[in-house]
Amino acid sequence: MTVAQKKYVSQFTMMGTVISLTLFEPRQTVVEAVYDYLAQMDRVFSVNRSDSELSAVNQDAGQHAVTVSPGCFDLIRDAVDYSRQHADSFNVLIGPLVKLWRIGFGGQQVPDQSAIEQRLQLMTLDQVELNATRRSVFLKRAGMQLDLGAIAKGYFADQIVAQLAGVGIKSAIVNLGGNVKLLGSNPLSPDGQWQVGVQAPAAPRGYPVLQVQMSAKTVVTSGIFERYFEVNGHRYHHILDPQTGYPVENQLDQVTVITDQSELAEVLSTVTYFKGPRAGAALIEKLPGTEAIFIDRQQQVTVTSGLQPRRKGVFYIE
Ligand code: ADP
Ligand code: MG
């Protein structure tokens, strides 16, 4: 086996985050295609664009069904299914609450209890009508809003890796603002394994708390350090509890999920964040090929059983 000497890293800012694509051969047209794909997805899914398909669905809530493109329908259907499966934690109808709290968008304050309760009324899943034949989505009550923020990047990462494989790319790293998905084997390492660092926000940037060696998988983290605000020493972060309407209160800083499908990893990282290290790890242990790393407020690390220690700070997955 010849070991490739070069890697080609492309970086751009999109969807409010830094996107990076690493290839091991010079394929500029492939990079352009990924860029164009994400720009297209932004036009379909952005809630900050009033002309996106997702905004059309939200704006027409309480009025009528909206026909969307196939990819948009698939992602919404998946997100609704996952919300049904994990009703106590993951809820794609969280939009009205996210808008109310405005966490990470400046000018935040703790909303009135009555406003929170009002928004919780708009989050019932049986008020979503999906029609697969017509590819239409109907939010039956005015004010309901889909928010795909906890799942969309995973779906995009899966699609991008499939597209790369489809044009003959053998190895790649897709990094969508910290959501990492790998393709093929690592041409720069003799055993083809990849090494992915898990960053802890409480530690200095560039110093991962631990590293994991693995084959081509996806690594997704949900944490409370990206977007939050503080009032009287209390931290309000952006993972909201669909039952109470408040940010989840627990002892965790973050959860990292490692599995094959990035969309699933996104959902599991949010769900296990809610569950915490014990119940969260119990859920992950039941899923084949899936591992998780929990880091609590004291920087205590808990890992699932498939993560084997190699040396200090380095784990591997068989
Ligand atoms: P990150 O933004 O770091 O990727 P997550 O993947 O956990 O973090 O997604 C958080 C985003 O998902 C929030 O900004 C919000 O848009 C949305 N969200 C917040 N709470 C929930 C929830 N309980 N269920 C589904 N989506 C949520
Ligand atoms: Mg997520």
Side-chain angles (χ1 to χ4, degrees):
M1 183 184 133
T2 54
V3 172
Q5 296 301 310
K6 291 184 182 171
K7 61 178 178 182
Y8 299 82
V9 183
S10 310
Q11 226 171 45
F12 41 89
T13 304
M14 209 186 270
M15 300 172 168
T17 191
V18 180
I19 311 286
S20 109
L21 175 64
T22 303
L23 301 178
F24 299 86
E25 50 191 301
R27 293 280 293 269
Q28 195 51 36
T29 52
V30 171
V31 176
E32 303 287 334
V34 169
Y35 182 93
D36 292 345
Y37 168 75
L38 283 169
Q40 172 62 21
M41 289 304 99
D42 194 48
R43 287 192 288 274
V44 172
F45 289 106
S46 177
V47 282
N48 303 317
R49 289 170 184 258
S50 58
D51 60 347
S52 71
E53 292 185 26
L54 196 64
S55 292
V57 171
N58 288 343
Q59 282 156 15
D60 288 349
Q63 297 176 55
H64 46 78
V66 174
T67 296
V68 296
S69 59
C72 185
F73 186 82
D74 289 349
L75 179 51
I76 292 174
R77 187 203 47 218
D78 287 359
V80 168
D81 284 348
Y82 283 126
S83 303
R84 292 214 168 95
Q85 270 174 53
H86 305 286
D88 54 350
S89 51
F90 187 89
N91 190 332
V92 68
L93 293 174
I94 203 102
L97 266 183
V98 171
K99 291 274 166 65
L100 179 68
W101 279 90
R102 293 181 48 79
I103 292 169
F105 293 96
Q108 302 108 335
Q109 50 185 350
V110 179
D112 288 341
Q113 183 63 32
S114 61
I116 289 176
E117 276 161 21
Q118 202 183 19
R119 305 281 166 127
L120 288 172
Q121 305 297 313
L122 298 170
M123 288 166 47
T124 21
L125 289 157
D126 60 9
Q127 298 294 304
V128 182
E129 209 169 81
L130 298 179
N131 184 314
T133 328
R134 278 189 258 142
R135 277 198 332 262
S136 68
V137 184
F138 183 27
L139 307 179
K140 294 206 231 165
R141 291 183 58 185
M144 288 174 74
Q145 286 184 49
L146 294 167
D147 179 326
L148 297 167
I151 187 170
K153 275 191 288 176
Y155 170 82
F156 301 151
D158 290 332
Q159 296 284 316
I160 289 169
V161 164
Q163 287 166 21
L164 294 175
V167 295
I169 300 286
K170 295 277 178 281
S171 302
I173 307 169
V174 176
N175 186 336
L176 307 182
N179 172 324
V180 174
K181 180 149 179 162
L182 305 162
L183 168 65
S185 60
N186 181 358
L188 301 183
S189 113
D191 63 0
Q193 293 290 99
W194 300 94
Q195 182 151 315
V196 179
V198 174
Q199 202 84 36
R205 281 250 163 218
Y207 293 89
V209 262
L210 55 90
Q211 315 230 38
V212 185
Q213 294 169 354
M214 66 186 87
S215 57
K217 286 186 167 281
T218 185
V219 183
V220 172
T221 299
S222 272
I224 58 168
F225 276 84
E226 294 267 292
R227 280 180 273 143
Y228 62 87
F229 69 100
E230 277 174 357
V231 179
N232 300 330
H234 191 93
R235 177 169 295 182
Y236 297 90
H237 61 76
H238 77 312
I239 304 177
L240 301 172
D241 187 330
Q243 319 232 61
T244 65
Y246 284 82
V248 193
E249 293 281 346
N250 66 22
Q251 286 305 307
L252 277 181
D253 266 1
Q254 64 181 40
V255 181
T256 299
V257 171
I258 304 172
T259 187
D260 295 321
Q261 201 209 358
S262 204
E263 183 183 312
L264 175 64
E266 285 274 356
V267 174
L268 290 175
S269 67
T270 301
V271 168
T272 49
Y273 181 84
F274 275 76
K275 290 186 180 289
R278 269 165 183 275
L283 169 70
I284 296 294
E285 296 288 358
K286 283 192 257 170
L287 306 173
T290 305
E291 306 298 335
I293 299 158
F294 300 81
I295 302 182
D296 74 11
R297 303 247 166 139
Q298 279 71 48
Q299 304 307 291
Q300 193 76 30
V301 177
T302 307
V303 303
T304 50
S305 61
L307 284 158
Q308 318 270 355
R310 170 145 280 157
R311 53 178 189 274
K312 191 171 159 43
V314 182
F315 291 86
Y316 70 98
I317 301 175
E318 277 190 293

